[in-house]
Amino acid sequence: MAENHELPEATIQNILDQDSLKWVFVGGKGGVGKTTCSSILSILLARVRSSVLIISTDPAHNLSDAFQQRFTKTPTLVNGFNNLYAMEVDPTVENEDVNGLEGMDSLFSDLANAIPGIDEAMSFAEMLKLVQTMDYSCIVFDTAPTGHTLRLLQFPSTLEKGLAKMMSLKSKFGGLLSQMTRLFGMDDEFGEDAILGRLEGMKDVIEQVNKQFKDPDMTTFVCVCIPEFLSLYETERLVQELAKFEIDTHNIIINQVIFDDEDVESKLLKARMKMQQKYIDQFYMLYDDFNITKLPLLPQEVSSSILCDHFSL
């Protein structure tokens, strides 16, 4: 279907041309094609960058399906590429990975659970620490639906609040944690200083990354939507929230567009095209200063071969 129509008037070329970009978030309402768009973007970036990593933070991972290849929480080279890597991570706490303090898992987990959201924040911080040690030119985040993504962007402040609460507990109860660790027969390596030191280390990493997230030269957020009312509403909410977090966004991808075709006789298709055009017009009216890219609704399932064949600049 896409071959019969002219190319959309706008593209994501501005992202490809911005050499300083380090972090690219792709997000939006559930079911709009975020994984498809983030995969397209990572493929195109891999053509102009030395190395690209695409990370799925959606618990319902689809990267493996899109590229028809199994990915894990370790960066894996994507088949057919020499500079594109992918990994799938769950932004939820995994004691053996996050705290690494054997014998303190139960105590640490209980302390973490007392601070809402800190387990996810710490897991996210560990993932960022891992990514920071790798020399990738650009990192693309295939995020979960909007609400989850907004929580992810709140992690820096969550971690700071959690650390402050832990420090407050320390000042209130003095050496209680130390007494508890000695009671359990653990040495200083697993004591309160080890716990607080690890939190401090995570806080340093996430503060550094948070500064980069708020730098428009290094970070941008690509909003993905479809031409329907709920998606338009969700996109508006997302753009407003991103502004509160001081995160740059100037690209919107409208996915699953049925392009006009004179040969179309189906009443259903004509009605859908008319409905879609109404919301497309509203997108252009609301976001006249954004780069708006329209992607066609394809007649077949999306896979890595389809991505490479249909979306090249």
Side-chain angles (χ1 to χ4, degrees), residues 12 15-16 24-28 32-46 52-58 62-63 66-67 84-87 138-144 222-224 253 255 295 302 307 311:
I12 54 171
I15 294 177
L16 306 184
V24 179
F25 288 87
V26 180
V32 297
K34 295 182 295 296
T35 298
T36 301
C37 293
S38 59
S39 300
I40 295 168
L41 191 52
S42 63
I43 289 172
L44 296 177
L45 281 166
V52 176
L53 173 66
I54 178 171
I55 302 175
S56 171
T57 61
D58 188 344
N62 292 310
L63 271 186
F67 286 102
L84 177 59
Y85 298 80
M87 63 187 288
C138 186
I139 297 155
V140 179
F141 283 90
D142 173 31
T143 68
V222 179
C223 301
V224 182
I253 296 177
N255 196 22
L295 292 184
V302 176
L307 295 178
F311 303 107

Side-chain angles (χ1 to χ4, degrees), residues 21-204:
L21 272 181
K22 172 77 172 178
W23 312 92
V24 179
F25 288 87
V26 180
K29 187 177 178 292
V32 297
K34 295 182 295 296
T35 298
T36 301
C37 293
S38 59
S39 300
I40 295 168
L41 191 52
S42 63
I43 289 172
L44 296 177
L45 281 166
R47 297 177 181 177
V48 297
R49 296 295 194 96
S50 58
S51 60
V52 176
L53 173 66
I54 178 171
I55 302 175
S56 171
T57 61
D58 188 344
H61 298 300
N62 292 310
L63 271 186
S64 294
D65 299 323
F67 286 102
Q68 298 178 332
Q69 179 182 348
R70 175 69 178 145
F71 298 121
T72 64
K73 58 185 176 182
T74 302
T76 304
L77 187 65
V78 177
N79 292 337
F81 295 86
N82 58 15
N83 66 338
L84 177 59
Y85 298 80
M87 63 187 288
E88 295 178 334
V89 296
D90 291 328
T92 53
V93 71
E94 296 180 30
N95 284 329
E96 68 274 15
D97 295 330
V98 175
N99 60 64
L101 303 177
E102 296 179 3
M104 284 294 289
D105 286 353
S106 178
L107 175 61
F108 188 83
S109 178
D110 290 342
L111 286 171
N113 290 336
I115 306 166
I118 196 172
D119 53 351
E120 288 182 311
M122 290 173 62
S123 180
F124 185 61
E126 282 290 343
M127 184 263 291
L128 290 178
K129 186 186 291 186
L130 172 67
V131 169
Q132 284 285 77
T133 63
M134 303 173 185
D135 190 25
Y136 292 106
S137 172
C138 186
I139 297 155
V140 179
F141 283 90
D142 173 31
T143 68
T146 305
H148 187 101
T149 302
L150 294 177
R151 280 208 317 277
L152 180 144
L153 296 173
Q154 288 175 324
F155 283 168
S157 60
T158 299
L159 197 59
E160 289 181 32
K161 289 176 183 176
L163 182 62
K165 195 165 186 177
M166 291 285 282
M167 297 301 289
S168 173
L169 287 172
K170 180 184 177 183
S171 62
K172 280 185 179 179
F173 298 105
L176 179 59
L177 281 176
S178 295
Q179 293 176 26
M180 290 176 66
T181 55
R182 285 195 295 272
L183 180 64
F184 290 121
M186 301 168 191
D187 56 30
D188 291 340
E189 183 183 354
F190 304 115
E192 61 172 326
D193 290 338
I195 297 175
L196 295 172
R198 196 162 186 82
L199 280 173
E200 282 280 12
M202 290 178 185
K203 180 171 173 282
D204 291 341

